[in-house]
Amino acid sequence: MGGQFPRRSSTAASRRLRSFHRRQISRGLLFITFISTVAAVVPGQAQTQALSSASESAVVDPFLAQQSASAPATMPPLPVPQYAQPPVEPKLEEVANRVAPTAPARPIFFAAPQDGPTIANDGPVDLAAYVAPPPVPTPGSPEDYIKKLEARLGDVEGRLKKRDEADKTAAAKKASEEYPSWKITGFTQLDGCWFDQDPNSIATVGNGQDGIGFRRARFAVVGKVAEFTNYMFEFDFATAGHPSFFDVWVEQGNLPLLGTVRGGQYCQPFSVDALTGFRNLTFLERSLPFLSFVPFRRVGVMSYNSNEDQTTTWAASVFKTGGFNNAPLGDDRFATDIGDSGGYSFSSRATHLLYYDEHAGDRYLWTIGSSYDFSRLSANTAAGSNSNIPYYQARTTPEFGPIGNTETSQAFGQAFASTPIFADTGRYRADNFQIYGLETVYQAGPLGFTSEFMATLVDSSRGSVFYHGAYAQVAYRLTGEHRVFDKKTATLGKIIPYSDFFSLTKGQRGIHGWGAWEIAARWSYVDLNNPSKLNGTYLPAPQSGSTTAASNGNGAGLLQDSTVGLTWFLNTYTKVQFNWIHAMLDNQVRGNSAADLFVTRLQVDF
């Protein structure tokens, strides 16, 4: 390097020079050529050395690169020598033609004033001001790769920001279009009943009539008016006369501590039997303690909530006690309570899951719970009212409800309009009553067990009166299914068959399933015996608007039911039920009697 030619090229040139030197006429030309060559090579050699010190790691020969850059545009550049190939011997004439003097590079310390910052005359020279800018990353180097990643990251962040803004706009637009939402739901229950009573049963409660009719035919609309604001409007069309109010309420959820607050007419929080929906009952009707003691649907305000993992639930409600004619118990089908004497009540329920299989869900569980209700009895003291005295009355049929409800139920001992009343305390004056309840639900796959105990303490005009009742039921799904369990409310849901009967699902035509089959048995009792201290305090019982019918407590007694049931679920929404109810009554006046009820139901819900 440094402008020197390879050794082979120097030897060849020396031979030509000696040959040329022998000629006498050429000695003058030789001297002139030598002087011209030295004048051309020396400046190029200095420039080459400067370039070599600026880039020591360069692979390309700086001398050849400089000569290639200064060569004419028409002349191709010299090829870069490869170390794997032998060097090429250039001709002396070609080298001389390619070499041209170039101006030496100006060091940075001799830069003109416009090439760098101004230097103060009275201060030291700031060499940092003349530092060259950072080198541009070489393509393919780690620095170049990091620079590209930073550029891509900035682009991704910008796109994510635009997407988030678009999502917020879309969510706001969707929310404005989503609410209010609505869904139509309902169910029908077509029941049939055949009575078989002994003579004393007919003489005591009346002659039950065989019949068929719709027990319930309900139509409901449920939905949301905001993300956490729900509503429900449900009416029943099976009641004779006109549709009746059932669940009509609105609720606000996602509240601190309170959880969800509901206002309107709804099932009061008392007993798992009461809060299990009609369409999901194991038997055609609920148990005797429920039919006798629970206020059920009333107008009020309720709050319910659960812990984070929904193993513990609680609910509390304040409501008006009386319903139609200030009746303290049973459904209020008119959703009204009129009377300025008392009538305010409190009901509550709490449950806890002792065991819940997280892997199998609600297929394996065990829960316990308790309920409490305090009700201050009401009265309408306006002129012309037939319920101007607060009273208490508990009554029940066997575990089969009346077909074709009339506006006012019939008196004890009469059976011309519906299923007879088998036990009735009669009406007597009272100020308030309290109900206590204990419950448990156990489920192990297809096997299910439920039991409850209820007791009522009435504060009558003659002192405290105590009633009680209980039930225990067991069910087994022959096809292996289990009942759905709602952890949020601690209530039992429906059975979902593994396969439908005569499935016509698209893609499964011709596949015949059994549906789901369940067998069940229940024993329940209610003790509505009245103490003798109530004699002489009974009030008239209105019948069809009349106040002449007597209510003397002759219906009081102990009623027990044993029920065996078979249910066939054709699919998730259709089922056929058969129940055999054996009712055993021990009446205070007429003694023991028995009756058998064979009842069926065809139900469809949607």
Side-chain angles (χ1 to χ4, degrees):
M1 302 303 293
Q4 300 297 323
F5 295 107
R7 180 175 298 178
R8 294 181 182 179
S9 299
S10 301
T11 303
S14 299
R15 288 198 298 268
R16 286 194 293 270
L17 287 174
R18 287 195 297 271
S19 176
F20 183 77
H21 182 67
R22 294 190 185 98
R23 302 177 186 179
Q24 297 294 332
I25 192 171
S26 302
R27 291 178 180 179
L29 294 175
L30 177 61
F31 179 76
I32 295 172
T33 302
F34 176 76
I35 295 300
S36 300
T37 302
V38 171
V41 171
V42 171
Q45 184 177 357
Q47 180 67 21
T48 302
Q49 292 177 355
L51 293 175
S52 299
S53 61
S55 179
E56 296 180 357
S57 61
V59 177
V60 180
D61 191 332
F63 174 78
L64 296 179
Q66 177 67 31
Q67 301 309 315
S68 300
S70 61
T74 59
M75 184 177 295
L78 291 176
V80 178
Q82 303 292 331
Y83 296 104
Q85 300 178 1
V88 180
E89 298 183 2
K91 296 180 179 181
L92 181 61
E93 292 80 0
E94 294 178 353
V95 173
N97 292 333
R98 292 175 183 271
V99 174
T102 57
R106 182 171 55 189
I108 191 170
F109 298 106
F110 296 94
Q114 63 273 14
D115 296 335
T118 304
I119 301 176
N121 297 329
D122 56 350
V125 177
D126 186 8
L127 297 181
Y130 293 94
V131 175
V136 178
T138 305
S141 66
E143 293 80 2
D144 182 62
Y145 183 71
I146 293 174
K147 186 175 181 180
K148 291 180 180 180
L149 286 181
E150 291 176 348
R152 292 181 61 185
L153 179 60
D155 180 64
V156 171
E157 289 177 346
R159 293 185 181 183
L160 289 176
K161 184 177 180 181
K162 291 182 180 179
R163 191 186 69 176
D164 291 342
E165 294 176 353
D167 290 345
K168 290 180 181 179
T169 303
K173 182 179 180 181
K174 182 180 179 181
S176 62
E177 296 175 352
E178 184 178 359
Y179 305 114
S181 65
W182 55 274
K183 175 184 176 182
I184 297 177
T185 181
F187 64 96
T188 60
Q189 296 174 339
L190 179 61
D191 291 1
C193 180
W194 292 263
F195 285 91
D196 183 15
Q197 299 173 264
D198 64 21
N200 194 32
S201 175
I202 296 176
T204 303
V205 303
N207 187 5
Q209 301 296 296
D210 301 342
I212 189 171
F214 283 95
R215 175 68 173 91
R216 301 176 182 92
R218 297 188 182 176
F219 183 85
V221 179
V222 296
K224 295 175 174 287
V225 294
E227 183 177 2
F228 299 106
T229 306
N230 309 318
Y231 70 89
M232 181 174 186
F233 294 92
E234 183 183 41
F235 296 86
D236 191 288
F237 294 85
T239 303
H242 57 76
S244 301
F245 278 83
F246 277 82
D247 287 300
V248 181
W249 48 257
V250 61
E251 67 180 16
Q252 177 64 44
N254 200 35
L255 298 175
L257 298 180
L258 297 177
T260 301
V261 175
R262 175 182 297 179
Q265 170 151 298
Y266 49 87
C267 297
Q268 295 305 309
F270 192 98
S271 163
V272 66
D273 198 18
L275 298 177
T276 298
F278 275 121
R279 67 183 74 188
N280 301 322
L281 297 179
T282 302
F283 301 92
L284 267 68
E285 296 294 334
R286 295 182 171 93
S287 63
L288 290 178
F290 163 81
L291 296 174
S292 302
F293 298 140
V294 179
F296 209 32
R297 286 185 176 87
R298 288 290 186 273
V299 176
V301 178
M302 175 178 67
S303 170
Y304 64 93
N305 201 357
S306 64
N307 60 352
E308 185 175 356
D309 58 0
Q310 296 183 339
T311 56
T312 302
T313 70
W314 59 91
S317 176
V318 177
F319 61 96
K320 288 286 285 182
T321 305
F324 181 65
N325 283 336
N326 299 102
L329 302 174
D331 263 327
D332 179 6
R333 293 179 287 118
F334 296 88
T336 58
D337 185 291
I338 300 174
D340 56 8
S341 176
Y344 293 97
S345 305
F346 170 79
S347 186
S348 62
R349 176 175 179 253
T351 66
H352 180 69
L353 271 171
L354 297 175
Y355 173 75
Y356 187 84
D357 192 329
E358 296 293 343
H359 301 287
D362 47 12
R363 187 170 175 83
Y364 297 93
L365 62 91
W366 182 21
T367 181
I368 58 174
S370 62
S371 303
Y372 173 76
D373 177 280
F374 174 85
S375 295
R376 187 173 180 82
L377 294 166
S378 63
N380 187 335
T381 58
S385 172
N386 56 13
S387 59
N388 53 9
I389 298 176
Y391 68 90
Y392 179 85
Q393 180 182 25
R395 59 202 322 235
T396 183
T397 66
E399 294 169 339
F400 177 73
I403 298 176
N405 261 337
T406 58
E407 293 303 322
T408 56
S409 59
Q410 58 200 9
F412 176 79
Q414 300 178 359
F416 62 89
S418 62
T419 304
I421 300 295
F422 272 52
D424 187 351
T425 64
R427 297 188 179 195
Y428 58 89
R429 186 166 184 164
D431 181 66
N432 61 74
F433 65 90
Q434 301 177 67
I435 314 174
Y436 304 88
L438 297 173
E439 64 184 64
T440 185
V441 176
Y442 177 80
Q443 185 162 249
L447 177 66
F449 175 80
T450 306
S451 180
E452 289 190 80
F453 171 80
M454 299 183 195
T456 296
L457 186 63
V458 182
D459 183 13
S460 73
S461 58
R462 296 291 180 89
S464 297
V465 179
F466 181 71
Y467 304 111
H468 58 93
Y471 76 91
Q473 66 183 45
V474 60
Y476 186 80
R477 272 67 67 174
L478 301 175
T479 46
E481 293 83 355
H482 67 280
R483 295 194 70 180
V484 174
F485 183 80
D486 186 354
K487 292 178 65 178
K488 184 177 180 180
T489 59
T491 56
L492 292 167
K494 62 174 56 182
I495 292 175
I496 301 177
Y498 290 148
S499 62
D500 293 349
F501 177 70
F502 287 111
S503 173
L504 296 179
T505 305
K506 184 178 180 180
Q508 297 180 350
R509 297 182 182 277
I511 299 177
H512 295 216
W514 284 96
W517 290 80
E518 178 186 58
I519 57 174
R522 177 171 65 189
W523 170 82
S524 62
Y525 85 94
V526 62
D527 187 346
L528 296 182
N529 282 304
N530 286 341
S532 59
K533 62 184 178 182
L534 292 180
N535 293 337
T537 65
Y538 294 101
L539 303 174
Q543 179 183 359
S544 300
S546 172
T547 60
T548 57
S551 175
N552 50 21
N554 289 340
L558 173 67
L559 176 63
Q560 300 181 72
D561 277 1
S562 62
T563 305
V564 177
L566 175 65
T567 304
W568 178 27
F569 298 85
L570 282 74
N571 48 62
T572 306
Y573 306 102
T574 309
K575 66 179 179 180
V576 178
Q577 292 179 274
F578 171 78
N579 285 180
W580 169 32
I581 305 168
H582 182 65
M584 299 163 283
L585 175 63
D586 182 8
N587 182 263
Q588 281 186 325
V589 176
R590 294 183 174 272
N592 295 320
S593 62
D596 292 294
L597 288 75
F598 302 93
V599 296
T600 61
R601 170 172 293 169
L602 173 62
Q603 173 181 309
V604 59
D605 66 270
F606 55 91

